[in-house]
Amino acid sequence: MSCDLLLEIGAEDLPARYVVPLMQALATGMSGGLRDRGIAWGSKGAALQSFATPRRIAVIIPDVALQQSERNIERLGPALKAAMKDGQPTKAALGFASSCGVAFETLGEKNGKLYFQKTEPGQDSLALIPEIFEETLKKMDQLVPKRMRWGSGEETFVRPVEWICALLGSVVIPLQRFGLSGGRRTFGHRFHAPAAIELDNAAGYEAALREARVWADVQSRRVEIRTQIEREAQRLGGHARISESLLDEVSALVEWPVAISGSFEEKYLELPPEVIVSTVETNQRYFNVFADQAQSKLTHHFIAISNIESRDVNQVISGNERVVRPRLSDALFFWEQDLKQPLEDHAARLDAVTFQKDLGSTADKVGRMMLIARRLAKTLGEDGVAAARATALCKADLQTRAVFEMPELQGIMGGYYAARSGESEVVARAISEHYLPVQQGTDIPSTRLGQIVSLADKLDSLAGIFAIGQKPTASKDPYALRRAALGVLRICIEAPLELNVAHLLYEALQVQTSGDRSEKTAQSLVSFMMDRLQNLIVGSEREQGKVTAEIYEAAIAAAREDLPTSDVLKRIDAVLRF
């Protein structure tokens, strides 16, 4: 016989970033624990179901056998030569027999060793599920580095646990945790349906919660939120900007999603659109509305996802607008104040900003970057004057008020300030792009000048940090040098640029004014970069399964440190064809 197993942990509001990982860990731990103990489930073809909201994580495992299968236990003991001495069993043999719970005479022989075998009847699943739950909780704890302790107990979880619903069919599972006992009680929406819900069995769980205004399934709730946002944007005559990461976060913040829209004064549209997007999305978790599908013209509308069906929705909208307005007002003030000075004046104050205590100020870094940028421009046949100008101004926005308040917009704001200061379009674009690529999957700079400034920035950081002996370790990379190295390689490969990265690193090391610039440091730096190149190529989606470490080594073996990076893929393709 079999029946469905329901396990739900109800808690105070969980941090959005942990909702889905904890749900997955609960499902994986419980289903895997059952399987490891020989408890069959899913025999009738039904799929496991996972649920998560800000107040709960739950799993329904279908068709769980009520009893463990019979287990055939086999053990090998000491070698026969070590098991007998002078016709009598040795201590090792007797100890093995004792550990098996049998007399020595009942043991058999297999492969030259003492052998024990028995068939053990399966235990009731109800008796085994609590220990599976304990094992699962330990795995869940590993996901959360900082956990809470509440009340007088010593147990911890990401947030205080308020109830545990645990049913095998219609029978309550006898587990104890967090000062609570497993039961058949769950709870609906905190405001719409605050009363307890008594479940007869696992089968009615999702429907009972839906009736109590809780949309428990994460994926369908996410789809519903997207649909509501698009519908609301259409009503406003625009197109919503829906980033997948924000959609994931908002989905983890609500149990009963209701899309509402608000607006702000059109005067704030004078701000760069990235400022408004950052304010509305990053700070408030709202969705911006654009006038066109290409998202080239921002409107003064936004869409928020409420967690309640309000009887006075206008009050909710007004509250959301009151939160957005002062943030945009501050941003507009900072923008206007920053524009009272040309970007060059902001750059003049970079000597007051420390880049790294052993490597000097940001002004010192910019000076080194200019030397590298000029060499790159000469090698690539680009305008050295423009490269030097863009590099000289690329960090200037670090001294502006807007970037001080919104550091995620550094570089981007510099591009806008450069354009307003009368700099050429190519210089302004290079400044705005020079932090790219910021992470895996993001674009590289689109202009050659932007690529030069970005390379100069990253090469200087790599060379400087290695020179002062602060290279990354297996567990720590405080200066994000791995990301910088991958950025250099991606620009060279994807642009593509006919540059020898090893030679670039040697040159970047020579412009450093602090630290060890010896051949040993240079070789260590090049080796670090070559390792990143191997990881980039062998691990890329394009090359997944085709390029092994051996193929990579064969492709670069003849010129490991004298090879233009853009040629690496050509060599690998040649090896594959061969």
Side-chain angles (χ1 to χ4, degrees):
M1 292 182 62
S2 64
C3 51
D4 294 347
L5 183 155
L6 165 66
L7 187 55
E8 178 193 53
I9 301 174
E12 293 184 9
D13 289 51
L14 301 165
R17 65 185 180 278
Y18 292 130
V19 169
V20 171
L22 287 172
M23 174 194 75
Q24 294 169 339
L26 179 64
T28 301
M30 293 302 300
S31 61
L34 292 171
R35 187 175 288 113
D36 291 344
R37 285 166 175 77
I39 302 174
W41 62 268
S43 58
K44 298 177 182 177
L48 179 148
Q49 294 176 280
S50 297
F51 305 94
T53 75
R55 298 180 66 206
R56 77 200 71 234
I57 50 175
V59 61
I60 294 179
I61 304 176
D63 306 321
V64 175
L66 299 183
Q67 192 170 32
Q68 193 182 35
S69 302
E70 285 189 348
R71 295 190 298 163
N72 186 39
I73 299 174
E74 295 183 294
R75 292 181 60 188
L76 287 173
L80 294 178
K81 291 181 180 179
M84 299 292 293
K85 184 176 181 180
D86 301 328
Q88 297 297 320
T90 62
K91 287 184 178 181
L94 292 173
F96 175 68
S98 176
S99 68
C100 296
V102 297
F104 171 78
E105 292 77 14
T106 64
L107 295 174
E109 178 270 333
K110 186 175 183 179
N111 298 331
K113 294 183 178 182
L114 291 178
Y115 173 68
F116 169 76
Q117 185 273 334
K118 74 171 183 177
T119 300
E120 190 175 80
Q123 299 180 55
D124 288 343
S125 298
L126 274 175
L128 295 172
I129 289 173
E131 66 182 49
I132 298 173
F133 181 55
E134 287 296 321
E135 293 174 1
T136 300
L137 285 175
K138 291 178 182 178
K139 295 176 182 176
M140 293 168 70
D141 282 346
Q142 295 173 6
L143 296 173
V144 186
K146 294 184 178 180
R147 300 184 294 279
M148 292 184 66
R149 183 182 293 112
W150 61 98
S152 58
E154 293 297 314
E155 296 172 297
T156 62
F157 198 62
V158 60
R159 288 293 183 270
V161 177
E162 297 184 332
W163 76 87
I164 300 174
C165 183
L167 295 172
L168 184 59
S170 60
V171 178
V172 172
I173 301 169
L175 53 82
Q176 304 280 332
R177 201 58 156 85
F178 309 112
L180 301 168
S181 299
R184 60 177 71 253
R185 176 176 294 184
T186 186
F187 290 86
H189 194 282
R190 179 180 282 117
F191 303 113
H192 287 306
I197 302 169
E198 297 287 334
L199 297 174
D200 293 328
N201 53 53
Y205 174 75
E206 186 174 9
L209 288 182
R210 186 69 67 90
E211 184 70 21
R213 292 294 191 276
V214 172
W215 198 306
D217 179 70
V218 176
Q219 291 305 316
S220 63
R221 185 170 72 243
R222 188 178 188 275
V223 171
E224 172 64 15
I225 291 172
R226 180 188 287 275
T227 300
Q228 289 190 25
I229 293 170
E230 291 173 345
R231 187 188 305 131
E232 189 69 11
Q234 189 175 20
R235 186 186 68 79
L236 295 168
H239 300 269
R241 169 187 152 96
I242 306 177
S243 74
E244 296 303 313
S245 59
L246 181 58
L247 184 59
D248 287 339
E249 184 175 5
V250 170
S251 298
L253 288 171
V254 297
E255 290 195 317
W256 192 250
V258 178
I260 57 175
S261 58
S263 60
F264 49 83
E265 290 85 345
E266 293 192 35
K267 67 178 181 180
Y268 295 123
L269 293 176
E270 298 174 19
L271 287 163
E274 290 88 349
V275 174
I276 299 174
V277 169
S278 177
T279 299
V280 172
E281 290 188 7
T282 305
N283 295 319
Q284 299 306 129
R285 277 73 171 176
Y286 301 159
F287 297 85
N288 288 280
V289 178
F290 285 77
D292 57 334
Q293 198 160 9
Q295 299 184 4
S296 61
K297 184 179 180 182
L298 193 61
T299 75
H300 66 296
H301 297 293
F302 63 84
I303 297 169
I305 301 298
S306 175
N307 192 32
I308 190 172
E309 290 180 357
S310 175
R311 281 178 269 183
D312 189 357
V313 70
N314 289 329
Q315 288 292 329
V316 180
I317 292 171
S318 177
N320 287 325
E321 291 175 341
R322 280 198 302 270
V323 174
V324 169
R325 192 175 295 117
R327 289 186 179 275
L328 291 177
S329 179
D330 288 346
L332 183 60
F333 173 76
F334 298 141
W335 166 252
E336 291 172 345
Q337 292 299 307
D338 290 337
L339 287 176
K340 290 180 179 180
Q341 294 177 283
L343 189 59
E344 193 169 20
D345 288 357
H346 295 296
R349 301 197 305 275
L350 288 175
D351 56 358
V353 181
T354 300
F355 168 60
Q356 204 279 341
K357 65 182 182 65
D358 296 320
L359 296 174
S361 67
T362 301
D364 295 328
K365 175 179 174 62
V366 169
R368 296 190 299 269
M369 287 171 57
M370 290 176 69
L371 295 175
I372 298 170
R374 286 194 182 99
R375 293 179 184 180
L376 284 168
K378 183 177 181 180
T379 301
L380 295 171
E382 298 294 326
D383 184 347
V385 174
R389 183 64 177 170
T391 306
L393 298 176
C394 70
K395 302 295 183 184
D397 64 356
L398 295 177
Q399 284 289 58
T400 63
R401 297 189 181 192
V403 170
F404 181 81
E405 293 295 327
M406 293 174 284
E408 68 275 12
L409 296 182
Q410 56 188 284
I412 294 172
M413 294 304 294
Y416 283 107
Y417 291 135
R420 290 295 192 99
S421 299
E423 301 295 334
S424 66
E425 181 181 349
V426 67
V427 167
R429 174 66 67 85
I431 292 170
S432 68
E433 293 184 329
H434 86 277
Y435 285 103
L436 298 178
V438 293
Q439 60 187 21
Q440 186 176 0
T442 56
D443 294 334
I444 66 169
S446 62
T447 64
R448 186 67 81 223
L449 196 58
Q451 292 160 8
I452 288 172
V453 181
S454 180
L455 286 172
D457 186 12
K458 294 170 175 58
L459 288 167
D460 176 73
S461 294
L462 285 160
I465 300 301
F466 264 73
I468 61 173
Q470 297 292 319
K471 65 181 181 180
T473 64
S475 60
K476 294 182 179 179
D477 185 10
Y479 299 102
L481 295 190
R482 291 186 178 91
R483 184 170 65 192
L486 289 171
V488 169
L489 293 168
R490 282 191 56 204
I491 290 171
C492 291
I493 291 173
E494 296 174 27
L497 301 177
E498 295 297 321
L499 293 172
N500 185 310
V501 172
H503 292 176
L504 294 179
L505 292 170
Y506 276 101
E507 292 177 356
L509 191 60
Q510 296 314 305
V511 303
Q512 300 301 312
T513 56
S514 302
D516 180 4
R517 294 177 291 166
S518 66
E519 180 68 19
K520 182 179 178 181
T521 300
Q523 290 177 354
S524 176
L525 185 53
V526 171
S527 178
F528 174 79
M529 183 66 80
M530 297 305 287
D531 288 342
R532 304 284 79 71
L533 179 59
Q534 180 174 342
N535 292 341
L536 177 65
I537 292 176
V538 176
S540 71
E541 291 185 10
R542 171 189 165 183
E543 309 298 344
Q544 200 75 47
K546 293 193 301 180
V547 179
T548 63
E550 291 77 13
I551 290 176
Y552 168 82
E553 289 292 342
I556 69 167
R560 186 175 179 87
E561 294 184 13
D562 295 300
L563 178 65
T565 308
S566 59
D567 284 353
V568 172
L569 289 179
K570 298 176 186 176
R571 286 171 171 255
I572 286 174
D573 287 340
V575 172
L576 289 172
R577 287 196 304 272
F578 175 77

